[in-house]
């Protein structure tokens, strides 16, 4: 814990962590708020899953594009434009009664314009701390972001049930705009300039570690999205129990991230952390009892933040600084496509086979997320005793002879 306290004392680290968590807090609210809102309005979890999937697909497409644009236009301009469009789309979805097709289109626009806070902050981190502190900072960040998933579902469920689902969605929009403005005004955001990448878009995926991180992130988030939908369906939109179970799930991730943050990242690190997630979700499928789900999903959560920290670390150590934002954009795209697929699969499974089927689907996604890094461990950088900072960009230097 002392190393984490030292990190927070480093100038800029605490405030950039707080600002980006506030700007990304809606991610912990919107899925549940829209799930409750759309299921209540249209009477179908499948319809809700499709809308959430459309949002995720839009964000997945935008991920590498908006991340790359930050190297051309700067972080502040890109984040400000996308934040404004996204907030407007979310408000329309909440306040305007639309047919499902129109709702899918607006949801896609909301996802397409989701501000690229995560790639931005991952790019800033190596400029805030020294190489020795970078891996613990990734772990602290992955753990701290679980606050989003601890508090977010509880807030969304409470507001949606006690006030209205519309109020829950509008509150998420307030966090999006307020946190986004705070983030873009930070001096650290203005000081870090991402060099323009000289390679074609998508070329960074040729780096094995980036491709591995993108695929495993896809599986991990698909599993989480399926579990979330299954838990909500198990307790119904009229109960706050789903919010509490998902909060406990996130607490497990927070605990795991802090506890395993200093464990050296070897070639088996990703497979080992995904194994924890797989076991926990597999056990969760055995019963829909509140306490059983809480205990087993806490166990599953213990592997999530450590797995994310490994993903961030091996990407950072494998790419040039000019490629970091795009690389994290692709990793985010993989995760968001996973969220779309996980939500859609879970929605249709629940409609046809019940909530347990969604948790079984989550277990399958997590198992694949364990098998893939096991088979591809030669692509997994061994960071034990190594610097996790991005590779410096170098150019030929003219000399006078």
């Amino acid at each position: 814990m002392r190393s984490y306290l030292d990190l927070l004392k480093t100038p800029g680290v605490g405030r950039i962590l707080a600002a980006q968590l506030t700007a990304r807090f809606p991610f912990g609210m919107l899925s549940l708020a829209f799930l409750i809102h759309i299921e209540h309005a249209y009477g179908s979890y499948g319809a809700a899953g499709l809308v959430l999937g459309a949002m995720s697909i839009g964000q997945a497409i935008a991920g590498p594009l908006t991340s790359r644009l930050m190297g051309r236009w700067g972080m502040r301009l890109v984040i400000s434009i996308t934040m404004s469009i996204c907030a407007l789309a979310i408000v329309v979805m909440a306040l305007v009664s639309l047919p499902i097709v129109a709702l899918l289109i607006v949801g896609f626009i909301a996802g397409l314009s989701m501000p690229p806070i995560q790639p931005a902050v991952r790019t800033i981190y190596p400029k805030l701390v020294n190489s020795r502190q970078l891996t613990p900072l990734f772990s602290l960040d992955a753990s701290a972001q679980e606050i989003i998933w601890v508090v977010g579902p509880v807030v969304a469920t409470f507001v949606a049930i006690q006030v209205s689902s519309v109020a829950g969605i509008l509150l998420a929009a307030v966090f999006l705009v307020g946190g986004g403005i705070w983030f873009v005004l930070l001096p650290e955001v203005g000081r870090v300039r991402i060099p323009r990448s000289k390679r074609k878009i998508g070329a960074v995926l040729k780096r094995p570690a980036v491709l591995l991180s993108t695929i495993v992130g896809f599986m991990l988030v698909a599993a989480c999205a399926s579990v979330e939908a299954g838990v909500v369906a198990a307790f119904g939109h009229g109960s706050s129990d789903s919010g509490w179970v998902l909060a406990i799930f996130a607490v497990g991730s927070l605990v795991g991230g802090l506890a395993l943050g200093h464990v050296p990242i070897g070639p088996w690190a990703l497979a080992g952390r995904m194994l924890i997630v797989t076991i926990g979700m597999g056990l969760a499928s055995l019963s829909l009892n509140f306490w059983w789900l809480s205990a087993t999903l806490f166990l599953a959560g213990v592997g999530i933040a450590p797995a994310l920290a490994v993903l961030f670390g091996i990407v950072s150590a494998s790419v040039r600084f000019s490629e970091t934002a795009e690389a994290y954009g692709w990793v985010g795209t993989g995760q968001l496509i996973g969220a779309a697929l996980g939500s859609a699969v879970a929605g249709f499974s629940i409609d046809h086979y019940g909530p347990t089927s969604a948790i079984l689907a989550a277990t399958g996604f997590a198992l694949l997320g364990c098998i893939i890094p096991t088979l591809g461990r030669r692509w997994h950088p061994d960071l034990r005793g190594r610097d996790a900072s991005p590779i410096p960009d170098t150019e030929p230097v003219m000399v006078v002879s």
Side-chain angles (χ1 to χ4, degrees):
M1 290 300 294
R2 179 165 184 166
S3 63
Y4 295 130
L5 293 174
D6 290 340
L7 271 174
L8 292 174
K9 292 177 182 177
T10 303
V13 170
R15 61 174 170 253
I16 205 156
L17 266 173
Q20 64 104 356
L21 287 175
T22 304
R24 293 170 55 213
F25 191 73
F27 299 161
M29 298 178 62
L30 285 174
S31 292
L32 266 178
F34 275 124
L35 195 67
I36 293 169
H37 179 69
I38 296 168
E39 194 280 331
H40 181 72
Y42 298 91
S44 171
Y45 282 106
L50 284 174
V51 173
L52 292 175
M55 290 181 68
S56 297
I57 290 171
Q59 193 174 356
I61 293 170
L65 299 177
T66 53
S67 299
R68 194 176 176 93
L69 280 176
M70 290 192 292
R72 292 177 176 270
W73 298 352
M75 292 185 190
R76 283 176 165 164
L77 181 59
V78 172
I79 291 173
S80 298
I81 292 172
T82 53
M83 175 185 66
S84 302
I85 298 171
C86 183
L88 179 61
I90 289 172
V91 170
V92 168
M93 293 174 73
L95 297 180
V96 181
S97 180
L98 298 170
I100 286 294
V101 174
L103 200 61
L104 287 170
I105 294 171
V106 179
F108 177 78
I109 293 171
L112 196 63
S113 58
M114 199 71 74
I117 301 290
Q118 191 174 51
V121 78
R122 302 277 184 268
T123 304
I124 292 170
Y125 282 157
K127 300 300 182 181
L128 288 182
V129 298
N130 59 46
S131 59
R132 179 181 56 82
Q133 295 176 304
L134 188 56
T135 298
L137 179 55
F138 281 135
S139 182
L140 178 62
D141 177 88
S143 301
Q145 76 176 359
E146 291 306 322
I147 295 171
I148 297 169
W149 309 108
V150 173
V151 183
V154 176
V155 172
T157 306
F158 179 82
V159 174
I161 292 172
Q162 301 299 324
V163 184
S164 72
S165 56
V166 171
I169 296 168
L170 294 179
L171 181 61
V174 170
F175 276 110
L176 177 68
V177 174
I181 292 172
W182 183 12
F183 183 79
V184 298
L185 291 178
L186 290 177
E188 291 78 17
V189 176
R191 283 198 294 263
V192 175
R193 175 69 184 176
I194 303 172
R196 287 193 181 193
S197 178
K198 297 177 181 178
R199 306 177 73 194
K200 292 182 179 179
I201 188 167
V204 72
L205 287 173
K206 293 180 180 178
R207 297 187 181 272
V210 177
L211 184 60
L212 178 65
S213 296
T214 301
I215 295 171
V216 176
F218 169 96
M219 296 299 173
L220 175 59
V221 177
C224 293
S226 294
V227 159
E228 182 176 288
V231 169
V232 172
F235 296 104
H237 60 73
S239 170
S240 62
D241 286 351
S242 58
W244 289 110
V245 170
L246 293 174
I248 292 168
F249 181 36
V251 168
S253 181
L254 176 62
V255 170
L258 294 176
L260 301 178
H262 295 290
V263 176
I265 297 176
W268 290 96
L270 194 51
R273 287 154 172 79
M274 287 301 300
L275 180 60
I276 298 172
V277 180
T278 304
I279 292 171
M281 289 185 175
L283 291 173
S285 68
L286 298 178
S287 172
L288 298 180
N289 173 269
F290 174 85
W291 294 109
W292 177 260
L293 283 176
S294 298
T296 54
L297 290 181
F298 178 89
L299 172 62
V302 167
I304 293 176
L308 291 172
V310 173
L311 295 180
F312 303 149
I314 65 176
V315 168
S316 175
S318 304
V319 300
R320 296 187 182 279
F321 180 66
S322 60
E323 299 172 326
T324 52
E326 185 187 341
Y328 287 124
W330 282 110
V331 173
T333 289
Q335 293 175 3
L336 289 159
I337 294 174
L341 181 62
S343 295
V345 168
F348 285 108
S349 297
I350 291 164
D351 282 345
H352 291 88
Y353 305 107
T356 301
S357 64
I359 301 176
L360 286 171
T363 305
F365 284 126
L367 180 60
L368 286 172
C370 180
I371 293 172
I372 290 167
T374 299
L375 297 178
R377 62 187 179 277
R378 64 190 179 89
W379 291 357
H380 191 302
D382 188 348
L383 300 184
R384 292 173 294 187
R386 271 189 56 192
D387 182 359
S389 300
I391 302 165
D393 286 276
T394 56
E395 295 181 351
V397 177
M398 298 295 294
V399 294
V400 178
S401 57

